[in-house]
Amino acid sequence: MQENFFQRKIMASIVTTITLAMILASISLKDNAGGTSDYGEAFLATAMLYGTYGGVIVLVYGSSVSALIEFVMNRWLKNNTSIFILLHGVFGLIMFATPILAVFGVGSALLYACIDRWIRHLIKKEKPTLMLMLTPFALFMMTWSVLSFITQDRPPFSAEDAVELVTSGKGTVIDKFPKEEGIIKVGNATRETSVEEIGDEVYIVTFTETWKHEDAGGPWSISYKVERGSSTLYDESHNGF
């Protein structure tokens, strides 16, 4: 019986951790859908991050609380599955003060309790538990494979795309510059849009303005670091202002 007890807690921790990591990684990927060039790689990295930290919490805190609940119920209370699951949810709620973390805490605790009870049922019926363990692994690998396959169909993020992304806004200081790589002359001013690739699908887009007569102002430039779906100010220099 003691062997089954530890087996249940470890298996419940593993299944809960993998499931939670997949859900959180999917949410993170959805919120940052345009910010990565490889969906599969991003999903794997994020899931591993959540799985590492979440796994420790689930294994240590979750298993300890679950063991305590089970001990109390076996000793003083009727072994009621509904109460067992509800108590897990309560302890999952009180662990976090932040509402969003509390939601995931409760969800994880309820999932842990349900898996624990299901494993207990399978063991009592002398049925195999291997499929319960393999299912989250299979879903994880399937999700990763699908996301990696989808990524392969995405067109590359080019220098032209980078310029288009930066110049897509309205009412900014770069409205007067060329919307593609090149130079235009407006009166005594020369305005240039240039692009430099500094990494895999990572660019520096620079807007430079110079004047025919230096005392008229300038030169002036502003640069943005651009990746798929996002751009950040990289450098801004003034002279003569």
Side-chain angles (χ1 to χ4, degrees), residues 142-199:
M142 186 184 304
T143 304
W144 180 29
S145 300
V146 169
L147 290 173
S148 298
F149 178 77
I150 292 174
T151 299
Q152 295 175 3
D153 294 336
R154 299 180 73 191
F157 185 66
S158 64
E160 291 77 13
D161 295 327
V163 176
E164 182 180 356
L165 179 63
V166 177
T167 58
S168 60
K170 300 294 181 182
T172 66
V173 69
I174 59 177
D175 282 350
K176 58 187 178 181
F177 286 88
K179 303 301 182 183
E180 57 186 23
E181 194 169 10
I183 299 174
I184 60 171
K185 292 183 179 293
V186 181
N188 291 325
T190 300
R191 294 166 185 157
E192 179 182 6
T193 301
S194 59
V195 188
E196 176 188 0
E197 185 171 10
I198 62 171

Side-chain angles (χ1 to χ4, degrees), residues 84-239:
F84 179 84
I85 295 174
L86 179 61
L87 288 175
H88 277 72
V90 172
F91 278 96
L93 177 64
I94 65 177
M95 182 180 178
F96 299 104
T98 307
I100 185 64
L101 293 179
V103 171
F104 284 108
V106 172
S108 302
L110 294 176
L111 177 63
Y112 182 104
C114 291
I115 294 170
D116 181 274
R117 293 295 89 175
W118 183 245
I119 296 173
R120 183 172 180 267
H121 171 75
L122 293 176
I123 292 176
K124 286 183 65 176
K125 296 295 183 180
E126 297 184 351
K127 294 182 178 181
T129 58
L130 182 60
M131 281 301 298
L132 185 63
M133 285 289 295
L134 292 179
T135 298
F137 281 105
L139 288 174
F140 184 91
M141 296 303 296
M142 186 184 304
T143 304
W144 180 29
S145 300
V146 169
L147 290 173
S148 298
F149 178 77
I150 292 174
T151 299
Q152 295 175 3
D153 294 336
R154 299 180 73 191
F157 185 66
S158 64
E160 291 77 13
D161 295 327
V163 176
E164 182 180 356
L165 179 63
V166 177
T167 58
S168 60
K170 300 294 181 182
T172 66
V173 69
I174 59 177
D175 282 350
K176 58 187 178 181
F177 286 88
K179 303 301 182 183
E180 57 186 23
E181 194 169 10
I183 299 174
I184 60 171
K185 292 183 179 293
V186 181
N188 291 325
T190 300
R191 294 166 185 157
E192 179 182 6
T193 301
S194 59
V195 188
E196 176 188 0
E197 185 171 10
I198 62 171
D200 184 22
E201 297 190 349
V202 181
Y203 303 89
I204 298 296
V205 180
T206 303
F207 303 92
T208 306
E209 182 177 271
T210 56
W211 291 75
K212 184 176 181 181
H213 303 291
E214 290 187 3
D215 57 354
W220 173 89
S221 69
I222 186 169
S223 299
Y224 293 89
K225 181 180 179 181
V226 187
E227 302 176 71
R228 186 185 295 270
S230 66
S231 65
T232 55
L233 181 65
Y234 183 76
D235 183 53
E236 184 174 7
S237 61
H238 301 266
N239 185 27

